[in-house]
Amino acid sequence: MSAPVPISLVVNGETHDLVVPPRKLLSDVLREDLHLTGTHVGCEHGVCGACTILIDGQPSRACLTYAVQMEGHELTTIEAVAEGDRLSPLQQALHEEHGLQCGFCTAGIVMTFEAYLRDNPQPGEAEIRDVLSGNLCRCTGYQNIVTAILKAADLMREGQGA
Amino acid sequence: MKPAPFTYHRPGSLNEALELMARYGPEAKPLGGGQSLGPMLNMRLARPAHLVDLNDMLEMDYIREVGDRIEIGGLTRHHRLATAPEVSRDLPLLAEAARTIGHYAIRQRGTLGGSLAHADPAAQLPLVAVTLGAEVVLRSTRGERDVPASDFLQSIMTVDLADDEIVTALRFPRQAEGEASAFELFSRRHGDFAIVSVALTLRQDAAGAVSSLRLGLGGVGPVPLRLRELEAEAVGSQIDEAAAARLGRSAAALITPEDHPEVPAAYRRELVETLVARALLRAAEQEGAAA
Amino acid sequence: MTADTPFTHIGQPLPRKEDRRFLTGKGRYLDDVTLPGALQVTFVRSPHAHARITGIDAEAARALPGVVGVFTGRDLAQWTAPLRLAPPIEGLHPVEMTTLPVDKVRFHGDPVAVVVARDRYTAEDAAELVEVEYDPLPCAADAETALAPGAPLVDDTLPDNLVSHQSFRAGDPRARRAEADRVVEARFNLHRHTHVPMETRGCLADWDAGRAHLTMHIGTQAPHPMRGQLAARLGISETQVTVISPDIGGGFGQKIALYREELTVAALSRHLGRPVRWREDRLENLTSASHARETQCVTRAAVRADGRILGLELELTEDFGAYCFYPANYMARVIAMILTGPYKISDYAFDVKVVLTNKCGNGPMRAPMAITSWVMEGTIDAVARELGLDPLQVRRINALRPEDLPFTMPTGEVLEDVTPLETLEAAVQAIDLPEFRARQAQARAEGRLLGLGLCTVVESTTYGSQFYKAAGIPGSGHEAAWVRIEPSGVVNASVGLMGSGQGYETPLAQAVAEGLGVTPDVVNVHMGHTDIAPYGMGSRGARGATAGGGTLYLCAQKAQARVLAIAADMLNLNDAQGLRLHNGQVERRLEDAWQATGVSLTDVARRAYLDPTALPEGIDPGLDVSLTYDPPAMTYSNSTHACEVEIDPATGRIRIDRYVVAEDCGTVLNPLVVKGQQQGAVAMGLSGALLEQVVYDENGQNQSATLADYLVATACELPDIEILPMHTPNRKTPAGIKGMAEGGIMGSIGVIAGAVNDALAPLEVTAEQMPLSPQRIRGLLRRAAHSDAGKAFSKSGTATDTIHGTPDNSDGRTNRA
């Protein structure tokens, strides 16, 4: 049956009971059913990376996942990154280094690197660009984003918060 | 773009999954990482009536020694292949190739079984499977069968997989100690599918002459191509720049790629020539590259 | 910034106000705006490049549960007026376009029907059930085919596919050809691009039947012109339409015109009496939104033996696609107008043809004149090559010097307050040309291909009303602003622009703060809402800083004068002489220093709003000031790009080892933002030159419909750029602002071609066609291999660069991590 089914999603630590069609993309469910519009949709074929969120702490394309698949998993979206008014070191670094312009790709980049820097605290520029290559940005040319990520890695290693 | 409607199944065990495949057969598609199938579903290029989600089959996410082989479960993610120490140690060619697949986020989800079943002619894992002589383990309610990767991959996105079967594992002969390997690929952008790719393993004797070579090409035909004639030609050679160049030229002469308006056949041949030579030189220079 | 800057806030690298909401996922883009009960649409699109529509059967589609309706071109023709473009320009054919095609489709992706449903999933299910009968027609798949006699007619109302043809001559280029020592011919083929904003097109139309009023939520760079278009096409008054632009995820010129889809959605909302929304998916965006650039140029330069250009001729053909959302001469014209740019050339002729083909229609894409600098600099390089001269010397001998300014270009454009020779010399020094040439010679001896490109850009920005008048293009270049100091002393302001990511909020607040005498943090600039913002011409053509910032600055100055008149009275002074507002405090010049008076802006505002009887005679209550400003016909900024590349002869891969830009963009409102614009422009230009390409096959089928086919550069393909700021003010614009943000595209396209051709020079082959893909470069090398010059470099298969499938393994990027 392709009729809507009840599922329970854990997003940013909160449990939500929803009824969704099996084919409804996770990106659409987050945005429409949960009103978490910080995750953006740029292509729906997994290339642009704008929809990247964390599934069980690892970056993944929300547009290539069906919401029904996510019961029993922990989802993290951009809305969970800042703590109240306090930006994360990565968010703060992107702001200071002018690592965003229109902002549409930004959440996907933040989610990717919040996870990556957590697991790889001392990346070189080549590694950063390797990981960043999975997020398309049409505005910045990536230069300031790379600078910001290097800066954030330094800050995180030094244990300084935002 | 939104997918066409389907019925979603989430089996809790492999047997359950196989039951579903048996029941729905041609109307069902197994869902692994979703990184290749997802775009096709969203673009309605694939419209299975039933989707069988394999992501709970954690028993299919493993890397284990089985005799002189390394068996890797079909649900093992690319990221694990790229980073697990045991893969780097026992199947360095596989680890090196896995590191080049797509992008970091893609590698968190994409699976070995999914990549083999999808059989994109430019993909890394089918090429490595053919080059290393891996076997594909297929299971259905009717039982299990093993197929050499080179037989499993039949044509562009066409495999020897019955409607009710799932790729549950691949078995790779462990790469020998002292065997060097190299994976080269050429693409327009970092992370794109390869235009041409080369996977090889190399053993040299004490004098530095080639004692065995396994060499596979991706992107030059509908399926990965083992260049056995070239492998034979290389035996006994000292791999220096001239020899590498010569073998590169021989490799290019052995293929008949299609002419495409964006990628002329001549260009593909040139890439083969260059990448084979580079891969050979790099492998030859690896430490401990001796029989 | 130097210590002796005349400005307090202008020129400060303040981080941006909008960052917080974008970083935390609290931006409000179109799809984040919700209206209960809104329906969703999807379009049924033609699979054919050219075909008659002989029947549409939507019965099965309409019967699907959740479908509200299916409508076609005939329905839209009843609800809306067609678009007629008929500016009185000689050589330009008038054209008309129905809202949706009625009789025939003209390109692969042309929308023929629209499905309205409760959600997009259902709408797509229904769209598959709509049966459209087509009678395929032969297609004009490229400009050459379209211009051939007997070609299929893209627009049946035109005699042929040549929709626009203009010629011009100044001086006597033909005579100069006769006098010349040599006539050098050069060709430049720029391929078809598309904008690819990360956020595709979309809109949300809300027709209020009770008030007969349309509120159109749409990401648009030009809200007031959009409002006017909607009103005209829907046959309602401009008072019945409000356009509200939310945050926009990139525009680059694709979000200016009122396209068929958005107009359809607005008409549907009115017809159904419900909010209706549309999200363009990426396949639609790549195939059916708008395309750009596909232009072929041929230049003929009449030259003296020392490289001096006596006369220049340009032939240009643009493949415009099937529909004109803009006058067809619009983009091509700019190229031809400013081609001579930084060079002292007076004998100049151009012939510009714009051709219709069965492809998606063109629109302006960031730097519509993108090809210009490649053509001019490439011509210079061709002259140098053919005469065996140093390309830098050829530039110098033809360059406009400071003493030549103001210089009237042969097309009548006046260049002044530009510094192209200075930016050239600065770039040359920064790149250390002699050192490079030495390294290049050494590398050549080893069979390696190093190249260096130089590209000087004179970028036209802003476009005042006089420009449009002279060009015969309807429309104005002025801008409008208001500045309102509120009773509490904070400042609301507005201008007729709308940002799509370039980051207006902070620099424009800085312009207001500077003009008024407050700090930027108390200023809020409102944009994008046509009921709030004054009627402005929107954001395009790099006019944001000069037109937008300039108007706000002048308006804020006017507001300061008003404030000081009241303050003078409060201080019992006869007039405001010797007073200024500085960071919100009124100060008085006494004994050669500014001294506090104890009167703040808040004090003045309170009096103006709440105690108006205390105001001096002749001063009305409130502090609300408006102003319009018409910039000069044209404003120019300039830059010189320099880059070093190495080409891998075996694979044709281009690696950029160094990239430098020396730039003069006048007074800079916010250097952080300007630097970001330059980086982004260079990135977009390089991405286009190396990777992007819209591909149609001979049947007009679009072969680049996904982001896996249309390749946009990633972080691994782009170099870091070094920027040398050398800003000099424009003496005719407010605060000396010049504008920028498109020149980076012109420069990057020109410089990468120059560098590649410099690298290939010993092989005596030239790249004339973009994109500069590895296979194209290999094709040139293969051709050269048969020549004597080429044989020295035809070592394919050598391990020159070991590339391991790492971040180095892609076009463009330097491997100096």
Side-chain angles (χ1 to χ4, degrees):
Chain A
M1 281 183 321
S2 49
V5 294
I7 58 168
S8 190
L9 289 188
V10 177
V11 184
N12 301 334
E14 274 182 38
T15 304
H16 302 271
D17 293 317
L18 304 169
V19 180
V20 300
R23 64 171 168 164
K24 193 161 183 184
L25 305 178
L26 179 60
S27 38
D28 289 335
V29 169
L30 288 170
R31 294 181 47 80
E32 292 170 21
D33 296 82
L34 296 179
H35 310 292
L36 294 168
T37 57
T39 301
H40 300 142
V41 176
C43 75
E44 288 179 328
H45 42 283
V47 177
C48 78
C51 71
T52 305
I53 58 158
L54 302 186
I55 298 179
D56 299 326
Q58 295 301 342
S60 312
R61 310 301 202 211
C63 73
L64 298 184
T65 315
Y66 303 102
V68 293
Q69 292 185 271
M70 291 293 102
E71 243 187 348
H73 295 276
E74 284 190 22
L75 303 176
T76 315
T77 68
I78 185 70
E79 287 86 351
V81 175
E83 284 171 20
D85 269 344
R86 255 186 38 177
L87 299 180
S88 73
L90 176 59
Q91 289 170 317
Q92 184 65 29
L94 284 165
H95 172 58
E96 288 166 7
E97 297 299 323
H98 190 34
L100 62 149
Q101 290 184 24
C102 83
F104 203 74
C105 72
T106 303
I109 291 176
V110 171
M111 298 318 291
T112 302
F113 280 92
E114 291 288 340
Y116 182 75
L117 290 176
R118 176 199 67 212
D119 296 342
N120 303 272
Q122 197 152 7
E125 188 177 329
E127 284 91 358
I128 289 175
R129 285 186 185 267
D130 173 42
V131 176
L132 186 57
S133 70
N135 298 84
L136 293 182
C137 173
R138 201 56 170 147
C139 294
T140 67
Y142 308 102
Q143 186 166 345
N144 291 351
I145 299 176
V146 174
T147 306
I149 293 169
L150 283 165
K151 183 175 188 174
D154 284 344
L155 288 173
M156 286 162 75
R157 272 200 317 278
E158 289 161 26
Q160 290 173 31
Chain B
M1 307 96 59
K2 313 298 183 187
F6 53 75
T7 302
Y8 171 76
H9 306 274
R10 188 167 172 173
S13 70
L14 183 53
N15 283 332
E16 221 187 299
L18 295 177
E19 295 284 343
L20 288 164
M21 293 304 296
R23 186 176 334 149
Y24 294 112
E27 294 187 311
K29 222 65 184 101
L31 177 63
Q35 307 301 287
S36 301
L37 185 57
M40 292 182 65
L41 289 170
N42 291 354
M43 291 192 245
R44 303 200 178 201
L45 296 172
R47 318 166 61 108
H50 298 269
L51 213 57
V52 178
D53 187 350
L54 301 180
N55 285 284
D56 284 344
M57 317 286 92
L58 299 181
E59 67 265 41
M60 270 171 49
D61 180 356
Y62 63 89
I63 302 169
R64 65 173 83 106
E65 296 180 21
V66 177
D68 64 347
R69 294 177 176 272
I70 309 292
E71 187 174 299
I72 304 180
L75 197 71
T76 307
R77 313 280 176 183
H78 302 324
H79 180 69
R80 188 168 175 193
L81 298 178
T83 56
E86 59 270 35
V87 180
S88 292
R89 182 192 64 222
D90 297 330
L91 296 169
L93 181 63
L94 180 62
E96 190 184 348
R99 284 193 280 273
T100 70
I101 299 175
H103 303 284
Y104 188 75
I106 304 286
R107 293 195 288 275
Q108 305 300 319
R109 303 290 298 172
T111 67
L112 174 64
S115 180
L116 264 289
H118 190 69
D120 189 301
Q124 285 85 334
L125 301 184
L127 172 59
V128 170
V130 165
T131 305
L132 292 181
E135 277 171 353
V136 184
V137 180
L138 307 166
R139 282 189 60 183
S140 68
T141 51
R142 300 174 286 115
E144 179 179 301
R145 64 185 182 108
D146 304 337
V147 183
S150 46
D151 294 334
F152 177 73
L153 301 157
Q154 294 171 323
S155 186
I156 299 176
M157 295 162 111
T158 312
V159 293
D160 177 11
L161 183 70
D163 287 335
D164 62 342
E165 285 178 321
I166 291 174
V167 175
T168 53
L170 258 72
R171 285 195 205 104
F172 293 85
R174 185 193 280 108
Q175 285 184 252
E177 237 182 274
E179 178 180 86
S181 54
F183 186 85
E184 292 275 337
L185 78 87
F186 189 91
S187 59
R188 293 294 297 284
R189 293 179 310 175
H190 187 67
D192 285 348
F193 276 106
I195 297 176
V196 165
S197 47
V198 175
L200 68 80
T201 67
L202 177 71
R203 291 167 72 170
Q204 296 167 292
D205 63 25
V210 175
S211 58
S212 85
L213 170 69
R214 289 183 291 182
L215 192 149
L217 296 180
V220 300
V223 293
L225 190 63
R226 260 302 271 278
L227 293 188
R228 296 198 186 268
E229 292 156 58
L230 187 76
E231 296 171 356
E233 184 189 330
V235 171
S237 306
Q238 295 276 350
I239 302 293
D240 57 13
E241 269 195 37
R246 174 179 46 87
L247 289 165
R249 283 193 297 274
S250 298
L254 286 170
I255 58 164
T256 49
E258 261 184 40
D259 214 14
H260 187 275
E262 300 310 307
V263 185
Y267 185 66
R268 231 178 266 268
R269 276 211 194 81
E270 288 169 352
L271 285 180
V272 165
E273 184 179 334
T274 300
L275 295 190
V276 165
R278 289 179 183 175
L280 282 168
L281 276 172
R282 189 154 59 82
E285 282 159 23
Q286 273 170 32
E287 265 186 34
Chain C
M1 289 301 301
T2 55
D4 57 352
T5 172
F7 302 115
T8 309
H9 303 294
I10 284 179
Q12 294 303 311
L14 300 182
R16 304 184 327 162
K17 295 183 181 211
E18 54 269 69
D19 283 359
R20 179 164 283 265
R21 66 181 187 270
F22 294 158
L23 285 164
T24 55
K26 295 197 172 13
R28 217 166 266 191
Y29 301 85
L30 194 277
D31 279 358
D32 306 336
V33 177
T34 52
L35 285 177
L39 299 168
Q40 297 226 25
V41 309
T42 197
F43 289 87
V44 178
R45 296 184 181 275
S46 167
H48 301 287
H50 199 199
R52 298 227 170 274
I53 303 167
T54 53
I56 303 182
D57 180 356
E59 209 180 305
R62 289 194 183 102
L64 206 62
V67 172
V68 166
V70 181
F71 306 93
T72 69
R74 291 194 197 282
D75 297 310
L76 271 304
Q78 286 178 17
W79 305 330
T80 59
L83 172 68
R84 183 166 171 78
L85 283 183
I89 294 172
E90 203 177 315
L92 177 65
H93 283 286
V95 290
E96 201 169 285
M97 184 196 316
T98 54
T99 299
L100 286 183
V102 178
D103 296 320
K104 71 168 191 176
V105 291
R106 298 192 198 173
F107 73 95
H108 176 198
D110 210 349
V112 301
V114 59
V115 174
V116 188
R118 66 173 166 225
D119 62 72
R120 177 76 183 219
Y121 292 74
T122 306
E124 288 192 17
D125 295 341
E128 289 187 313
L129 298 175
V130 175
E131 284 173 22
V132 184
E133 274 167 31
Y134 295 101
D135 191 6
L137 299 166
C139 89
D142 55 55
E144 203 186 322
T145 310
L147 283 175
L153 274 181
V154 176
D155 184 332
D156 295 317
T157 67
L158 301 185
D160 53 43
N161 293 317
L162 184 62
V163 64
S164 174
H165 188 187
Q166 274 96 34
S167 306
F168 168 88
R169 180 160 42 92
D172 195 343
R174 202 170 296 173
R176 303 289 88 78
R177 255 197 269 150
E179 295 158 10
D181 291 323
R182 195 83 158 250
V183 176
V184 176
E185 185 173 297
R187 313 185 96 78
F188 309 88
N189 286 355
L190 189 58
H191 54 291
R192 202 165 194 77
H193 289 56
T194 184
H195 309 57
V196 197
M198 291 318 299
E199 182 201 26
T200 58
R201 293 180 299 157
C203 61
L204 167 56
D206 184 15
W207 176 256
D208 178 340
R211 293 163 61 228
H213 194 96
L214 171 70
T215 300
M216 186 71 157
H217 301 267
I218 179 170
T220 171
Q221 300 171 228
H224 287 90
M226 165 72 60
R227 183 188 70 181
Q229 278 290 297
L230 281 165
R233 303 287 298 278
L234 290 167
I236 55 182
S237 157
E238 275 180 304
T239 60
Q240 292 177 276
V241 180
T242 300
V243 171
I244 305 177
S245 180
D247 289 326
I248 307 180
F252 313 114
Q254 192 169 72
K255 293 177 180 170
I256 299 174
L258 175 62
Y259 298 98
R260 277 99 52 86
E261 293 94 339
E262 291 95 329
L263 176 58
T264 297
V265 171
L268 283 168
S269 180
R270 181 172 62 173
H271 176 74
L272 297 170
R274 288 178 66 172
V276 178
R277 69 187 314 146
W278 175 58
R279 166 55 43 196
E280 175 185 52
D281 69 37
R282 185 55 71 181
L283 270 52
E284 295 178 287
N285 178 259
L286 291 174
T287 57
S288 315
S290 59
H291 291 173
R293 307 212 196 294
E294 191 168 4
T295 305
Q296 294 188 7
C297 290
V298 180
T299 56
R300 260 172 228 103
V303 295
R304 227 165 46 191
D306 63 352
R308 179 82 181 95
I309 296 172
L310 306 175
L312 181 66
E313 292 161 277
L314 167 73
E315 263 173 47
L316 184 155
T317 306
E318 180 179 352
D319 181 329
F320 204 68
Y323 288 103
C324 301
F325 289 98
Y326 296 86
N329 71 326
Y330 177 58
M331 277 86 79
R333 178 193 164 76
V334 181
I335 299 166
M337 292 283 291
I338 66 168
L339 180 66
T340 56
Y343 300 113
K344 199 166 172 181
I345 298 168
S346 298
D347 295 77
Y348 172 58
F350 66 71
D351 186 87
V352 169
K353 293 191 175 97
V354 181
V355 186
L356 297 181
T357 59
N358 291 113
K359 302 177 185 175
C360 179
N362 278 11
M365 177 177 171
R366 189 172 185 177
M369 64 300 202
I371 200 177
T372 307
S373 305
W374 177 26
V375 173
M376 190 64 239
E377 297 289 288
T379 298
I380 296 262
D381 286 338
V383 169
R385 252 190 326 268
E386 273 195 41
L387 297 181
L389 299 170
D390 175 359
L392 179 55
Q393 283 311 110
V394 179
R395 283 167 171 80
R396 285 176 174 145
I397 205 175
N398 286 292
L400 286 169
R401 322 199 95 71
E403 54 267 28
D404 296 319
L405 304 176
F407 179 76
T408 303
M409 294 203 268
T411 51
E413 296 294 311
V414 178
L415 281 181
E416 58 182 331
D417 293 331
V418 288
T419 57
L421 186 56
E422 289 88 322
T423 52
L424 171 65
E425 299 299 351
V428 164
Q429 177 144 74
I431 204 102
D432 198 346
L433 197 39
E435 187 273 337
F436 174 79
R437 291 291 175 215
R439 251 188 308 124
Q440 183 182 48
Q442 169 72 25
R444 278 178 180 161
E446 296 163 11
R448 290 168 57 212
L449 298 172
L450 262 54
L452 187 131
L454 290 172
C455 185
T456 296
V457 177
V458 172
E459 174 189 353
S460 47
T461 78
T462 314
Y463 305 86
S465 305
Q466 279 308 310
F467 167 80
Y468 294 103
K469 190 95 186 249
I473 298 174
S476 172
H478 78 268
E479 198 39 63
W482 55 255
V483 171
R484 189 170 66 227
I485 299 138
E486 305 295 348
S488 60
V490 295
V491 184
N492 280 313
S494 189
V495 69
L497 310 181
M498 179 59 204
S500 46
Q502 54 274 70
Y504 284 148
E505 290 171 34
T506 306
L508 293 184
Q510 289 170 263
V512 172
E514 190 73 51
L516 177 55
V518 297
T519 52
D521 58 294
V522 305
V523 179
N524 192 0
V525 182
H526 302 262
M527 287 171 283
H529 193 304
T530 56
D531 293 347
I532 296 172
Y535 197 106
M537 299 306 140
S539 298
R540 54 197 163 78
R543 71 192 296 270
T546 318
T551 309
L552 279 167
Y553 177 72
L554 293 172
C555 189
Q557 286 185 321
K558 186 173 165 185
Q560 183 179 167
R562 188 90 86 77
V563 168
L564 294 178
I566 297 173
D569 183 68
M570 288 167 78
L571 292 166
N572 292 314
L573 299 168
N574 290 331
D575 55 47
Q577 267 237 29
L579 290 181
R580 77 170 183 182
L581 190 63
H582 186 70
N583 291 346
Q585 298 296 323
V586 178
E587 296 180 348
R588 189 172 173 202
R589 191 92 181 149
L590 286 170
E591 285 158 20
D592 226 34
W594 289 101
Q595 305 206 357
T597 60
V599 176
S600 70
L601 178 60
T602 309
D603 296 330
V604 173
R606 230 180 270 125
R607 176 164 293 199
Y609 282 95
L610 304 176
D611 193 11
T613 56
L615 290 173
E617 217 170 290
I619 300 217
D620 292 334
L623 277 175
D624 196 338
V625 172
S626 297
L627 182 139
T628 60
Y629 166 61
D630 206 334
M634 196 72 89
T635 310
Y636 291 95
S637 63
N638 61 273
S639 58
T640 301
H641 296 232
C643 90
E644 258 187 57
V645 302
E646 179 161 359
I647 297 178
D648 178 354
T651 63
R653 168 99 76 212
I654 297 166
R655 193 188 66 223
I656 299 171
D657 285 332
R658 192 155 175 226
Y659 197 106
V660 171
V661 185
E663 67 171 11
D664 176 357
C665 12
T667 300
V668 158
L669 294 177
N670 183 321
L672 203 61
V673 166
V674 164
K675 194 162 153 210
Q677 286 301 294
Q678 191 65 269
Q679 291 168 341
V682 168
M684 188 172 272
L686 289 177
S687 178
L690 295 172
L691 290 160
E692 299 175 34
Q693 190 177 11
V694 177
V695 178
Y696 282 94
D697 70 15
E698 68 274 14
N699 297 313
Q701 293 292 300
N702 191 311
Q703 304 291 311
S704 42
T706 76
L707 289 179
D709 303 297
Y710 189 85
L711 305 177
V712 168
T714 74
C716 289
E717 282 80 55
L718 295 172
D720 279 351
I721 67 170
E722 303 162 44
I723 300 176
L724 309 170
M726 310 171 43
H727 304 305
T728 68
N730 180 307
R731 282 168 293 179
K732 295 208 168 110
T733 60
I737 304 168
K738 286 182 183 174
M740 52 83 67
E742 295 188 321
I745 297 203
M746 299 161 74
S748 54
I749 289 177
V751 84
I752 192 72
V756 165
N757 283 325
D758 184 54
L760 296 176
L763 293 100
E764 294 169 5
V765 287
T766 312
E768 296 175 340
Q769 169 82 53
M770 291 206 180
L772 299 171
S773 61
Q775 49 267 48
R776 173 158 288 123
I777 303 297
R778 265 306 309 162
L780 289 170
L781 293 171
R782 220 178 285 130
R783 208 191 306 159
H786 300 298
S787 74
D788 288 330
K791 283 190 173 32
F793 287 90
S794 65
K795 285 185 262 175
S796 139
T798 52
T800 319
D801 272 325
T802 313
I803 296 172
H804 301 253
T806 63
D808 296 334
N809 182 19
S810 53
D811 294 352
R813 170 115 191 95
T814 176
N815 71 352
R816 290 187 200 163

